[in-house]
Amino acid sequence: MTVTQVPQVGQTGGLAQRYARALYDLASEQGILPDVLGEVKALRTAISESDDLRKFLADARLDIRQGQTVSTVLMSKLGFGDVLRRFVGVIADNRRLPDLASILDGVLALDSALRGEVVAEVRSAQPLNDTQRSQLQARLAEAGYSRVSMTEHTDAALLGGMTVRIGSTLFDTSIAGRLTRLQNAMKGAA
């Protein structure tokens, strides 16, 4: 396993952070924060598990009407509440659907930070099962991260293993990372 310090490049900064803060504050003011956070997690999971949905959201050719139509249908189909439906509608109106996953991550990160937790961004080649999740939580606790909330992403390019980013620290146990380190070591030896 390799641990490196890498600069965190605006995962939830700037635009995504402002939208995330707006949704968090709105849900807080209306007293429905726990419900909205549950819906945000569910929507984030739906995006990370669906290749078609990710491709659709990233499509720059979408016009405003298409984005509004699909976001309305998606929110209805998934059974989300009015606040999240209207929020995603605003995101679609402002042509920010490609940023939706980052905005949702920002909401979850903001909530974790306000509760005193650190956010671990976990990327794995395959979705984690409950046993792997609990083992990872235990290992992170051993490393000094006892209050951790995890956001999970599936990335087939890792080939196997996982990467875990907490702030600017990256724990890399992926096969792709090992191959890259081996390739770099071989270049240095030549």
Side-chain angles (χ1 to χ4, degrees):
M1 170 174 58
T2 300
V3 178
T4 55
Q5 295 288 331
V6 293
Q8 188 142 9
V9 186
Q11 280 288 61
T12 56
L15 175 93
Q17 189 61 39
R18 288 191 303 271
Y19 276 104
R21 179 55 125 180
L23 177 59
Y24 191 90
D25 289 347
L26 176 66
S28 228
E29 288 169 7
Q30 293 187 2
I32 56 171
L33 186 60
D35 295 335
V36 170
L37 288 173
E39 292 175 355
V40 165
K41 288 177 187 174
L43 181 55
R44 185 63 186 99
T45 300
I47 291 171
S48 67
E49 291 178 351
S50 172
D51 288 334
D52 292 336
L53 182 55
R54 279 193 310 274
K55 287 176 187 173
F56 172 79
L57 292 174
D59 190 352
R61 297 173 296 163
L62 287 177
D63 66 15
I64 290 176
R65 274 186 260 131
Q66 288 174 319
Q68 290 170 337
T69 302
V70 171
S71 66
T72 302
V73 169
L74 178 65
M75 296 292 102
S76 295
K77 182 179 177 187
L78 295 174
F80 293 137
D82 189 49
V83 169
L84 190 59
R85 283 183 196 193
R86 287 186 292 134
F87 179 76
V88 173
V90 168
I91 299 291
D93 289 348
N94 293 340
R95 300 183 55 85
R96 300 290 185 206
L97 284 176
D99 300 316
L100 183 59
S102 294
I103 293 167
L104 297 174
D105 286 342
V107 172
L108 298 174
L110 179 62
D111 181 58
S112 293
L114 292 174
R115 286 185 289 118
E117 294 180 345
V118 293
V119 177
E121 180 183 341
V122 179
R123 293 194 178 280
S124 59
Q126 300 290 324
L128 298 178
N129 60 36
D130 291 336
T131 304
Q132 292 169 323
R133 226 174 262 113
S134 63
Q135 288 174 345
L136 179 58
Q137 286 275 11
R139 295 295 301 265
L140 290 172
E142 289 173 9
Y145 299 104
S146 58
R147 293 185 50 116
V148 175
S149 104
M150 296 190 306
T151 60
E152 298 177 26
H153 308 279
T154 304
D155 184 358
L158 294 177
L159 303 176
M162 70 178 68
T163 63
V164 179
R165 179 187 306 269
I166 300 176
S168 65
T169 304
L170 177 68
F171 300 93
D172 187 353
T173 63
S174 68
I175 293 174
R178 290 178 188 174
L179 290 172
T180 301
R181 289 187 297 278
L182 180 61
Q183 182 181 21
N184 291 338
M186 291 175 68
K187 283 181 183 177

